[in-house]
Amino acid sequence: TETGRLMPGIRAGHCGPKMGRNGLDNGWIQFNDVFVPRENMLMRWSTVTPEGRYVRGETKKIAYAPLIDERLLSLSLCELYSSFASTIGIRYTALRQQG
């Protein structure tokens, strides 16, 4: 923990930039034969009992719901950027002279 380097059996990476949402940073982490104490686990939608049994969350829809906002935002950004492109194209064709 003093150096900030990953411990053996742990891999992490960056997912890259997001369209229009570069302020939000996404990454991934992978554990291979690593013990994680229960109190340090991220158990928002599913849990692991003290006996070690995995309990699935109520429904997959709960985990999917936050993604809907991102998709709607992407759709509205596509509409915005296509209107910019249309405006530039129309202005260019109105001022361009052939020959």
Side-chain angles (χ1 to χ4, degrees):
T1 59
E2 294 81 21
T3 64
R5 294 184 181 189
L6 295 176
M7 297 177 69
I10 300 176
R11 293 179 54 204
H14 187 259
C15 292
K18 296 168 70 173
M19 183 181 79
R21 298 297 297 265
N22 290 332
L24 300 175
D25 196 12
N26 284 352
W28 57 270
I29 188 165
Q30 180 181 24
F31 298 96
N32 187 16
D33 292 329
V34 176
F35 176 78
V36 178
R38 282 190 75 250
E39 58 269 8
N40 295 345
M41 292 182 70
L42 303 173
M43 296 190 286
R44 185 172 179 181
W45 291 299
S46 57
T47 59
V48 176
T49 65
E51 296 79 31
R53 189 173 58 89
Y54 172 75
V55 179
R56 185 176 298 201
E58 293 179 21
T59 177
K60 293 180 182 179
K61 294 177 184 176
I62 294 174
Y64 183 72
L67 301 176
I68 294 172
D69 289 339
E70 291 292 325
R71 290 190 170 97
L72 290 174
L73 178 69
S74 296
L75 183 62
S76 63
L77 287 175
C78 288
E79 178 185 5
L80 177 69
Y81 292 141
S82 64
S83 69
F84 290 161
S86 298
T87 302
I88 292 169
I90 291 169
R91 286 181 182 170
Y92 177 75
T93 56
L95 298 176
R96 183 175 183 270
Q97 294 180 359
Q98 184 68 32

